[in-house]
Amino acid sequence: MEKFEQIVPQPKSRFLRVKCLDCGTEQIIFGCASTIVRCLVCDKVLTQPRGSKAKIKTQIISVLT
Ligand SMILES: [Zn+2]
């Protein structure tokens, strides 16, 4: 019996394409992130964990399903 590692932990999880309000950098973040996500360029906080969802603190451009 072979074991396969699952890369995607939750099928309902969504990824969001967001744009940093400070420097305009676009990046893709995990919609249910349980940790603070910061902008890769200017270190601005983009999401903060709140309960089981992440509170998005920046502009959402699109939702990747
Ligand atoms: Zn930024």
Side-chain angles (χ1 to χ4, degrees), residues 16-63:
L16 308 173
R17 183 186 295 273
V18 299
K19 184 175 185 178
C20 176
L21 296 178
D22 280 9
C23 68
T25 299
E26 293 182 11
Q27 68 185 77
I28 295 176
I29 62 172
F30 187 46
C32 300
S34 56
T35 58
I36 290 177
V37 178
R38 294 177 184 274
C39 175
L40 297 172
V41 176
C42 71
D43 214 33
K44 180 182 176 67
V45 174
L46 301 180
T47 76
Q48 286 186 325
R50 173 169 289 189
S52 59
K53 289 185 177 180
K55 180 173 177 58
I56 311 298
K57 300 173 67 70
T58 192
Q59 179 183 358
I60 299 174
I61 297 175
S62 62
V63 177

